[in-house]
Amino acid sequence: MSQVLSGVRVLDFGRFIAGPYCAALLADFGADVIRIEKRGGGEDRFIAPVSDTGAGALFMHVNRNKRGVTLDPMSEDGALIVRKLVETADIVVANLPPDTLRAMKLDYESLTAVKPDIILVTASAFGSSGPYRNRVGFDAIGQAMSGAAYMTGTPGNPVRAIAPYVDFGTALGMAFGALVALMEREKSGKGQVVEGALLRTAINMMASTLIEQAALQINRKPTGNRSQTSAPSDILPTKDGHVLVAVVGQPIYERWARLMGNEDYWINDPKFANDLLRGENSELISARLAEWLARRTTAEAIAELEAARIPAAPVLTPQEVLDDPHVQATGYLQPVAYPGMEKPAMLAQPPMTLSRTPGAIRHRAPLTGEHTEEVLREAGFSGEDISRLREKGAI
């Protein structure tokens, strides 16, 4: 199977999620991605360890299909190695604050002095401009400062999503930007900087709420799991679990009303006349749905809702996700063996599919420094050079 990005080399200096997952997506479609960590392994390698090697679940997910190198880029010899590798690269990925990029000579000016057509793909919490540009931050910072955490909870109890969607959304945008920059370089012969920012991603995801606020100053208050612009849209208990129901638009709402009974009231009462009014009166609608769900098991409720063509889903535990027949049949999760694990790691496939040239998980994430010697030999270092670099602590 042809790999679309075969022949493209990426140096991945990324940390945690945004940078590494961007590089992983490029690797999934054939790029030669070299993950560069500090000696002993980066701190993000050891979060939530699931292997006897200390490697964590997140690390395995966002570093598949890469080769691993360890070095100290701040040392004189380490900086020389970085320059040698940059000479061979098309893309450098580094989700680091601007001042840190400059200190590591990974800023665009330093990189183009070595490789004039290099593409730098970077991300930070707040971007390279503005008063917060040198602040550090993680996914939850974006959730908090975009209004998302405030609107997700209940009054006086803001809640962040446990899924780091801001980080992964930023990574997807960075990967898209990297591909656009590669396409543009084919025309101009020039590289450029692709910059992501966690807050920018989070604000994009909250854009409709912010547009409404700027236009109308509604000052919406959080309503937990209930939508504010349609109903029923809520998570409610059944006899043996919870179900999410999401109704938007008049046709689906009318089907829901017929399923609930007393449809004349639910359809013809003026306070339920459209999505926005139903959102304003969502407590009444959710109360009726709660009564209906409480008399059914989750399986029974889902079967009846599906028969009426009403969007609904069971609220699954992580184990139930692994056991779900659709997840298993589609192969979303691919088992990949990793040293020190009794069971294979269940890695999520790329979220997008291509019909002719799909991405693929070809091999596991690297052990600490697993490919250092291999990569350095490719860059022209001899065995004696590599031994000397090890003795000096550069690698």
Side-chain angles (χ1 to χ4, degrees):
M1 185 71 71
S2 172
Q3 290 286 301
V4 179
L5 297 180
S6 178
V8 173
R9 171 169 280 194
V10 179
L11 304 183
D12 175 17
F13 291 87
R15 297 177 181 175
F16 298 100
I17 298 175
Y21 189 59
C22 163
L25 291 172
L26 301 177
D28 290 345
F29 288 90
D32 175 21
V33 177
I34 300 171
R35 173 179 166 86
I36 299 174
E37 297 177 83
K38 64 184 179 183
R39 296 171 63 234
E43 62 271 29
D44 55 347
R45 174 180 283 271
F46 306 110
I47 298 171
V50 292
S51 162
D52 291 345
T53 67
L58 177 63
F59 174 84
M60 292 180 186
H61 175 46
V62 301
N63 289 290
R64 72 283 184 104
N65 290 338
K66 301 178 186 179
R67 296 192 287 169
V69 169
T70 55
L71 59 84
D72 176 7
M74 303 300 288
S75 69
E76 183 178 348
D77 288 310
L80 170 63
I81 295 169
V82 171
R83 288 197 296 274
K84 286 278 193 181
L85 293 177
V86 169
E87 288 174 359
T88 71
D90 298 285
I91 298 171
V92 170
V93 175
N95 56 316
L96 300 165
D99 284 358
T100 304
L101 287 176
R102 284 190 288 273
M104 293 177 66
K105 298 292 192 293
L106 295 176
D107 59 294
Y108 189 59
E109 183 178 359
S110 298
L111 292 173
T112 53
V114 178
K115 183 81 181 299
D117 66 349
I118 199 77
I119 294 167
L120 172 61
V121 181
T122 184
S124 58
F126 297 98
S128 61
S129 62
Y132 304 157
R133 62 186 178 276
N134 281 313
R135 290 188 185 181
V136 296
F138 290 115
D139 173 279
I141 301 297
Q143 295 192 37
M145 292 188 65
S146 64
Y150 173 83
M151 291 301 298
T152 299
T154 54
N157 184 35
V159 175
R160 74 172 178 91
I162 195 66
Y165 68 85
V166 175
D167 267 330
F168 280 101
T170 301
L172 286 162
M174 292 164 69
F176 172 78
L179 296 178
V180 172
L182 279 173
M183 292 175 67
E184 197 282 332
R185 193 177 70 174
E186 288 294 310
K187 301 175 184 178
S188 69
K190 299 178 181 179
Q192 59 183 301
V193 179
V194 176
E195 181 185 80
L198 301 183
L199 184 57
R200 187 181 301 140
T201 299
I203 284 176
N204 265 274
M205 294 183 175
M206 286 295 292
S208 62
T209 299
L210 299 176
I211 291 168
E212 181 191 56
Q213 178 63 25
L216 303 177
Q217 281 78 56
I218 286 180
N219 296 315
R220 289 192 180 276
K221 303 300 181 186
T223 53
N225 290 315
R226 284 186 287 114
S227 170
Q228 302 189 344
T229 56
S230 65
S233 184
D234 207 346
I235 296 175
L236 295 164
T238 62
K239 284 183 175 181
D240 59 354
H242 288 79
V243 164
L244 178 141
V245 176
V247 171
V248 179
Q250 193 66 23
I252 299 177
Y253 177 74
E254 290 183 4
R255 295 199 296 271
W256 174 84
R258 287 192 290 272
L259 183 63
M260 294 298 108
N262 195 15
E263 62 186 278
D264 182 65
Y265 168 68
W266 294 112
I267 293 174
N268 295 323
D269 191 299
K271 62 178 171 286
F272 307 132
N274 57 46
D275 273 341
L276 193 57
L277 287 169
R278 291 192 284 269
E280 292 172 1
N281 293 281
S282 62
E283 286 188 66
L284 290 171
I285 297 174
S286 281
R288 174 65 188 108
L289 178 60
E291 292 174 4
W292 187 86
L293 288 170
R295 298 195 299 269
R296 291 160 172 81
T297 66
T298 295
E300 291 168 346
I302 292 296
E304 291 187 54
L305 289 160
E306 172 57 28
R309 303 304 291 160
I310 296 167
V315 176
L316 302 180
T317 66
Q319 185 60 52
E320 288 170 336
V321 175
L322 294 173
D323 296 337
D324 184 83
H326 181 82
V327 173
Q328 292 188 349
T330 54
Y332 288 164
L333 297 172
Q334 177 179 328
V336 177
Y338 194 90
M341 292 183 68
E342 293 183 5
K343 298 179 179 179
M346 300 300 291
L347 302 186
Q349 296 272 9
M352 71 295 289
T353 61
L354 279 68
S355 61
R356 286 195 304 105
T357 56
I361 298 174
R362 299 181 302 282
H363 58 80
R364 60 169 172 79
L367 298 171
T368 304
E370 182 174 356
H371 305 98
T372 299
E373 183 167 339
E374 173 182 297
V375 171
L376 263 58
R377 285 185 180 278
E378 291 175 3
F381 292 90
S382 68
E384 290 183 0
D385 292 333
I386 294 169
S387 296
R388 178 182 59 81
L389 290 167
R390 288 195 189 281
E391 289 174 7
K392 297 182 69 174
I395 57 174

